[in-house]
Amino acid sequence: MARPEQVLLLEPPHELKFRGPFSDVVTTNLKLANPTDRNVCFKVKTTAPRRYCVRPNSGIIDAGTSINVSVMLQPFDYDPNEKSKHKFMVQSMLAPPDMTDMEGVWKEAKPEELMDSKLRCVFEMPAENEKTHDMESNKMMSSSLLKSESSVLPPKSMSSTLDDGEVKKIMEECKRLQMEAQRLREENKQIREDDGLRMRKSNVMSSQHSSVGMKREEGLSARMMALIVLFFVVGLIVGKLVL
């Protein structure tokens, strides 16, 4: 039994053209339109899945709507003598009314329910004269843009010189900053002197306290020695009297 005719409208219908240079990713778009009054499931397949990235590569197109599929060709070394054998296939089927699992629907689909359209890939490199033309047009656009910007800019912005009023303001600001810096240096110097004076005073006071303490300790030790000697002498005298 022959498969039913594709209900989706493809744009482009037969070829996917990729225009170089191919040193970077090249993207082309594929439009899928659903003119029917039923939702349609679709899948996009390719014979070279490692060379392309397709977004989205499957889904549902509501009745009377369309979607754009981006087909991204990965960078490669282009050989003009090598013809592309890559192909794409858009597979579709009418969505069941009570569909909940799209993967399950695809697995259970019968061959006579599936529709497909095939597209071949075409690689194109811009001709040398087109490259030159593009480069010249880009240069002309850049130069015209620069001219338009320079014509819009006021004369003052085109010169790096300053008038006398601006120079005077800058000089006054420099003087003010120098005076502020000098004031801060003097304050810092005064703070350091005050800190040094306080440290010297604290050192003198601590030394005085230590000398006084040492004298007190020496006095106490001398008194203790005198008492010990006195007790020893008294003990000797008492001992002689007893004997």
Side-chain angles (χ1 to χ4, degrees):
M1 183 177 177
R3 289 191 176 186
E5 188 178 353
Q6 176 69 272
V7 296
L8 297 179
L9 300 178
L10 280 63
E11 184 182 344
H14 304 296
E15 291 182 345
L16 289 178
K17 292 185 178 181
F18 298 88
R19 188 174 179 83
F22 300 101
S23 56
D24 201 354
V25 176
V26 179
T27 303
T28 189
N29 292 317
L30 172 63
K31 183 179 180 182
L32 304 179
N34 177 13
T36 69
D37 57 355
R38 299 254 323 255
N39 295 346
V40 176
C41 303
F42 77 94
K43 277 186 177 182
V44 181
K45 299 180 179 180
T46 179
T47 57
R50 295 184 179 181
R51 298 285 297 275
Y52 297 90
C53 181
V54 182
R55 293 291 182 273
N57 59 4
S58 63
I60 300 175
I61 307 175
D62 294 335
T65 63
S66 63
I67 65 168
N68 286 321
V69 177
S70 296
V71 182
M72 290 160 277
L73 173 63
Q74 302 305 305
F76 71 103
D77 295 329
Y78 175 70
D79 185 359
N81 298 321
E82 182 181 353
K83 292 184 180 181
S84 172
K85 297 180 181 180
H86 301 167
K87 291 182 176 63
F88 276 82
M89 181 176 69
V90 178
Q91 199 171 38
S92 64
M93 63 178 293
L94 297 175
D98 55 349
M99 185 187 69
T100 56
D101 181 15
M102 189 168 62
E103 288 297 326
V105 170
W106 282 107
K107 289 180 181 179
E108 297 174 0
K110 298 177 182 179
E112 60 269 17
E113 295 176 343
L114 300 177
M115 300 167 281
D116 59 61
S117 299
K118 295 179 180 179
L119 304 94
R120 68 187 188 94
C121 298
V122 178
F123 300 154
E124 294 180 346
M125 283 292 289
E128 293 297 327
N129 56 355
E130 292 181 3
K131 289 182 181 178
T132 307
H133 177 70
D134 292 340
M135 293 176 63
E136 290 178 353
S137 62
N138 290 335
K139 288 181 180 179
M140 290 176 63
M141 288 178 65
S142 301
S143 61
S144 62
L145 182 61
L146 289 173
K147 288 180 181 178
S148 62
E149 289 178 350
S150 62
S151 62
V152 171
L153 290 173
K156 185 177 179 180
S157 64
M158 298 293 290
S159 175
S160 60
T161 59
L162 300 172
D163 56 23
D164 295 338
E166 291 177 344
V167 173
K168 187 176 180 181
K169 289 181 181 179
I170 293 173
M171 294 297 292
E172 291 177 355
E173 183 69 16
C174 290
K175 289 181 180 179
R176 187 185 68 79
L177 292 174
Q178 289 176 356
M179 292 176 65
E180 184 70 17
Q182 181 65 25
R183 185 180 65 80
L184 291 173
R185 283 197 294 270
E186 291 177 356
E187 289 181 358
N188 192 18
K189 182 179 179 181
Q190 185 65 34
I191 290 171
R192 288 201 300 269
E193 290 178 353
D194 293 342
D195 290 341
L197 182 61
R198 282 196 296 269
M199 289 179 66
R200 285 195 294 272
K201 287 183 178 180
S202 63
N203 291 333
V204 170
M205 291 179 67
S206 62
S207 62
Q208 289 178 353
H209 286 306
S210 62
S211 62
V212 170
M214 291 177 63
K215 289 179 180 179
R216 287 179 180 178
E217 291 177 356
E218 290 175 356
L220 289 173
S221 60
R223 290 177 185 178
M224 288 295 293
M225 288 297 295
L227 288 173
I228 292 171
V229 172
L230 179 63
F231 287 151
F232 181 72
V233 172
V234 171
L236 289 175
I237 295 173
V238 172
K240 287 181 179 181
L241 292 174
V242 171
L243 293 174

